[in-house]
Amino acid sequence: MATFKRIVPPSTLHSGLSAWGALSAPRACSVRSVHWNGGVPLRRSRGCDQPKPHKQGVSVRAYKPTDKLQDWRVQQMVDHVKKYYNEFLTRGKEALASQLFDDDVVHKDLVWDPAHPTVGVHGMQHYLHDLRTAFPDFTIEIDQIATCDMNSLMVQYSGTATGLGEYHSHKPSHHVSAFSGINLVRFNHDRSKIVEIQVYRSAFAEDRLELGERELHGEGGFRELRLRRLV
């Protein structure tokens, strides 16, 4: 387990990618002067003092998926997100939706359709169906997990997907996309179910095509584009 003592204001955590940037290495130190006390050198440094805690700041801790965690609350959330990524997304087990998600869960993919988040357990099942219809070999792996409180995790991941099915009414592209990203996952009060997922990821080739079409037509939201094709 690696512990990062840098203090991150709450406003930073809500930015997703900026929050993960808080896990950077500490800045270098430079020695300003050396004083002696009974033959023992006492070094005073410049630029390497620990930052003063923000009144509303939090400490971010990062873990590898294989780390053994002492805090059962963090372990509970880690086990939950592993099931979400490994069983629900990668293996396509739609039946797990009621176990994983709160009835009012909100899933916002800032690339797929930021204006229309997926809401509810049935919404997550439809999301998975659309995802695996477009990318039957969709695979995702957790690279690192970080926690900043007892009800949320940040998950860094990577994966691959081949466009073998229809994606937002587009024909299969047969393009292989390697992607990566960071999700902010929030849980309910007892950490038994996920209430919110904010997705910050790299775009698939199909996403870039869709974004270009969106800009060309001057329309807002991918759902508007799909509805427009039906008229």
Side-chain angles (χ1 to χ4, degrees), residues 84 88-90 107 109 112 124-140 161-162 165-167 179 201 204:
Y84 168 61
F88 186 76
L89 291 179
T90 297
H107 178 280
D109 187 325
W112 191 317
M124 291 302 296
Q125 290 175 324
H126 287 299
Y127 163 78
L128 180 63
H129 179 268
D130 290 346
L131 179 68
R132 297 200 61 82
T133 296
F135 309 103
D137 65 345
F138 181 89
T139 302
I140 189 169
T162 307
E166 186 178 274
Y167 186 76
F179 63 90
R201 64 174 175 86
F204 301 145

Side-chain angles (χ1 to χ4, degrees), residues 86-170:
N86 299 337
E87 301 295 328
F88 186 76
L89 291 179
T90 297
R91 297 180 181 174
K93 295 184 178 181
E94 291 185 22
L96 291 176
S98 59
Q99 301 177 27
L100 294 173
F101 308 113
D102 184 80
D103 291 341
D104 299 318
V105 63
V106 176
H107 178 280
K108 181 178 289 187
D109 187 325
L110 300 187
V111 174
W112 191 317
D113 196 348
H116 301 86
T118 300
V119 179
V121 174
H122 292 298
M124 291 302 296
Q125 290 175 324
H126 287 299
Y127 163 78
L128 180 63
H129 179 268
D130 290 346
L131 179 68
R132 297 200 61 82
T133 296
F135 309 103
D137 65 345
F138 181 89
T139 302
I140 189 169
E141 294 184 359
I142 297 174
D143 298 323
Q144 194 171 16
I145 299 172
T147 181
C148 54
D149 56 45
M150 292 299 102
N151 288 95
S152 60
L153 294 176
M154 288 177 287
V155 183
Q156 183 183 36
Y157 56 86
S158 56
T160 58
T162 307
L164 301 177
E166 186 178 274
Y167 186 76
H168 297 165
S169 299
H170 288 291

Side-chain angles (χ1 to χ4, degrees), residues 157-204:
Y157 56 86
S158 56
T160 58
T162 307
L164 301 177
E166 186 178 274
Y167 186 76
H168 297 165
S169 299
H170 288 291
K171 294 181 179 180
S173 68
H174 300 282
H175 183 89
V176 179
S177 295
F179 63 90
S180 61
I182 297 168
N183 288 2
L184 176 60
V185 183
R186 298 188 185 280
F187 290 81
N188 58 1
H189 68 284
D190 63 356
R191 295 165 298 279
S192 61
K193 293 188 177 181
I194 297 171
V195 298
E196 182 183 9
I197 303 174
Q198 296 182 23
V199 181
Y200 304 85
R201 64 174 175 86
S202 55
F204 301 145

